[in-house]
Amino acid sequence: MILKKSKDILSEYILCDHCLGRQFGKISISTNKRRGEVIRNFLKHTYPDTPNINYQSPCYLCENIFERTENIIDQINPDFQFNSFHVGTKIPKDILKKEEMLKDKFGLDYQEGIKQELNRELGKKIGIFLRKEFKREKEDITIIVHPYGSKIEYIINPIFIYGKYNKLIRGIPQTRWLCTKCKGRGCSRCNRTGKMYDESVEELVSELFLKEAQGTDSSFHGAGREDIDVLMLGTGRPFVLEIKSPKIRELNLKKLEEQVNMINEGKVKISDLRFVEKELVETIKNVHMRKIYRAEIDVCLSDNEKQKIEEFFNDKEIYQETPNRVVHRRADKTRIRKVYKVRTSKENCTSLEIYCDGGLYIKELISGDEGRTNPSIAELLGKNVKCVVLDVISIEEKV
Ligand SMILES: [Zn+2]
Ligand SMILES: [Zn+2]
């Protein structure tokens, strides 16, 4: 069957060994070139009169591209750091059409595409040429070859750095917050900065990394966030910093940590840095880690009230609708979170330590948010209570 079809094809078209072999590429394990040679030899014995049985350049299908792979590879000259790569090729439409036409005309059910063969051949050769690892996933870069257009493109995949941060001053948001009036273009309200706040944890942390890695952009993925006026103390909050299109991938994280901490002394501190895979971004965004908060309230609790609070908020489920103050930018839904323990202080009557699930809004747990949080400290005491100062003093370690 293979011989008969090959005879019919060659009677009409000139094909090189690669292209001849590839028309039956899914039949056996062998290189297409080798298969093409074998078919041609058999044909010489069985049907010696077949036209084009001796290959005469150029190949109708590939236009001899397989003879030019070395020239293509010579053009690959990346000026950035990477250890592994993947290859993609762009094949012109007229060549793909010819391939499709042969498949239909001669019923070539086992045909392999020219793109697959070129990807494979170029992948092997580029790996040897650059002494880098060819990978099908989690590769550092993708090399896009236009074999018929003498053009090479590079896609540099991002790097991901895990760490924890402490926020030591109030008044800065976690991430860059675009001006709500001009959406970042710059206007009179934001003083031409395009931002609501001059600084953010994101900017203070990522600037140096971005510069060092020579990336184009960065994203800061936090494991939850604290309000602008809330400190992040204790061992810190996990985050993943994503640097896009980095020219330098091998960063000295210890040194960068020290520099970031020196520049931002008294504001933001980072620790525990390490390189991670992309998957961790989703993981840290979706885990709700338990936390301990320290809150100052605007009323002085009696001993009786302290006792009441400690006894009541013991493994207690809290039903919380999205708070009034954020409902304009977050989905309005009811969440159920637990308060495990509330500890009052012997020394003063306005301090509370609250141990609870992540994702619980603490200011509303205290005030009740006009009945949107249930139960609440205000409701339990039967009076208005407000949180005036709030800090995260510990986040349970999970990632
Ligand atoms: Zn060919
Ligand atoms: Zn503005």
Side-chain angles (χ1 to χ4, degrees):
M1 185 220 30
I2 294 179
L3 278 188
K4 178 69 177 48
K5 282 188 179 178
S6 299
K7 175 176 168 287
D8 291 347
I9 297 169
L10 289 186
S11 298
E12 284 186 63
Y13 303 98
I14 297 171
L15 291 187
C16 69
D17 287 336
H18 282 274
C19 290
L20 179 59
R22 204 172 56 253
Q23 303 315 311
F24 310 96
K26 293 176 186 166
I27 287 179
S28 62
I29 312 165
S30 163
T31 65
N32 289 322
K33 182 164 187 287
R34 181 74 195 124
R35 190 182 305 103
E37 284 165 6
V38 170
I39 291 173
R40 214 182 283 279
N41 273 329
F42 271 112
L43 276 181
K44 280 178 188 169
H45 287 103
T46 323
Y47 303 107
D49 299 332
T50 307
N52 304 317
I53 195 159
N54 292 308
Y55 172 60
Q56 277 176 329
S57 184
C59 172
Y60 163 77
L61 186 50
C62 75
E63 298 166 9
N64 302 0
I65 198 72
F66 292 96
E67 290 170 18
R68 300 199 300 273
T69 50
E70 302 293 336
N71 300 353
I72 295 166
I73 289 166
D74 275 343
Q75 298 168 37
I76 297 177
N77 185 22
D79 60 344
F80 43 80
Q81 255 180 13
F82 67 101
N83 290 314
S84 59
F85 69 97
H86 190 62
V87 174
T89 45
K90 298 274 187 209
I91 310 293
K93 276 208 181 76
D94 57 321
I95 288 185
L96 295 175
K97 266 190 196 149
K98 285 184 194 172
E99 188 167 76
E100 198 56 40
M101 182 276 291
L102 287 180
K103 185 177 181 174
D104 291 346
K105 189 167 174 179
F106 298 100
L108 304 171
D109 298 335
Y110 298 97
Q111 182 194 61
E112 191 197 19
I114 185 168
K115 191 180 165 72
Q116 278 72 34
E117 183 173 7
L118 269 174
N119 281 349
R120 199 168 53 231
E121 292 293 304
L122 289 170
K124 263 189 269 175
K125 289 185 175 172
I126 293 171
I128 294 165
F129 178 68
L130 296 175
R131 297 190 192 163
K132 305 285 183 189
E133 186 189 357
F134 177 78
K135 262 178 150 183
R136 283 177 204 284
E137 54 177 14
K138 294 187 175 167
E139 66 278 7
D140 291 346
I141 68 162
T142 306
I143 303 175
I144 310 279
V145 182
H146 298 246
Y148 292 88
S150 311
K151 195 171 112 187
I152 311 283
E153 290 173 283
Y154 304 99
I155 299 168
I156 307 177
N157 290 323
I159 47 173
F160 297 88
I161 299 160
Y162 167 91
K164 290 180 188 165
Y165 75 84
N166 293 113
K167 193 175 101 188
L168 308 170
I169 51 163
R170 297 179 205 283
I172 54 172
Q174 183 192 64
T175 49
R176 197 160 41 129
W177 194 332
L178 291 184
C179 171
T180 47
K181 194 177 164 201
C182 67
K183 305 268 185 294
R185 288 189 306 275
C187 66
S188 54
R189 176 182 168 172
C190 59
N191 216 355
R192 309 281 150 206
T193 61
K195 296 185 292 185
M196 298 292 276
Y197 297 86
D198 279 348
E199 296 182 318
S200 62
V201 174
E202 171 178 25
E203 289 159 289
L204 296 175
V205 170
S206 61
E207 195 185 0
L208 204 61
F209 284 86
L210 194 56
K211 203 175 124 203
E212 201 71 15
Q214 297 176 37
T216 52
D217 196 8
S218 66
S219 291
F220 190 90
H221 311 282
R225 57 171 70 218
E226 63 285 332
D227 285 340
I228 290 174
D229 57 351
V230 173
L231 300 186
M232 182 61 240
L233 305 171
T235 51
R237 183 187 294 275
F239 67 88
V240 174
L241 178 63
E242 175 180 358
I243 307 280
K244 291 165 187 165
S245 291
K247 284 194 161 185
I248 309 286
R249 307 182 84 83
E250 287 159 17
L251 303 171
N252 184 337
L253 296 182
K254 197 72 211 155
K255 199 174 128 209
L256 278 165
E257 175 182 319
E258 282 169 17
Q259 285 175 333
V260 167
N261 289 343
M262 204 169 69
I263 295 168
N264 299 305
E265 205 180 340
K267 280 188 192 170
V268 167
K269 182 174 170 287
I270 54 172
S271 55
D272 286 358
L273 299 184
R274 59 186 153 94
F275 289 104
V276 290
E277 303 284 357
K278 181 188 182 149
E279 286 70 31
L280 198 68
V281 172
E282 281 311 302
T283 311
I284 72 158
K285 277 184 156 175
N286 293 322
V287 289
H288 284 287
M289 292 165 294
R290 293 182 185 183
K291 300 188 178 68
I292 302 175
Y293 289 89
R294 186 172 58 215
E296 289 291 325
I297 54 175
D298 66 343
V299 299
C300 180
L301 300 169
S302 66
D303 287 347
N304 190 18
E305 285 173 326
K306 285 182 184 175
Q307 193 189 347
K308 209 169 163 184
I309 290 171
E310 290 195 354
E311 278 172 10
F312 183 81
F313 288 100
N314 201 341
D315 276 335
K316 200 74 177 172
E317 278 188 345
I318 311 294
Y319 292 76
Q320 191 160 58
E321 288 172 54
T322 304
N324 270 322
R325 67 190 164 91
V326 297
V327 78
H328 61 284
R329 56 191 163 88
R330 300 267 168 89
D332 191 6
K333 60 174 185 186
T334 304
R335 67 207 78 214
I336 302 170
R337 299 280 187 272
K338 256 186 166 178
V339 172
Y340 299 98
K341 225 170 202 40
V342 176
R343 215 176 276 139
T344 56
S345 165
K346 283 196 177 65
E347 287 87 51
N348 74 61
C349 60
T350 58
S351 292
L352 299 170
E353 269 187 25
I354 300 159
Y355 174 42
C356 62
D357 282 331
L360 180 72
Y361 291 99
I362 301 301
K363 291 170 182 170
E364 285 70 20
L365 172 73
I366 292 169
S367 73
D369 198 24
E370 296 170 1
R372 293 169 68 87
T373 292
N374 238 309
S376 68
I377 288 176
E379 190 202 13
L380 178 71
L381 301 181
K383 58 167 135 179
N384 284 332
V385 188
K386 238 176 75 189
C387 173
V388 285
V389 181
L390 186 65
D391 301 323
V392 183
I393 56 174
S394 173
I395 290 189
E396 189 178 70
E397 314 252 342
K398 235 181 205 169
V399 260

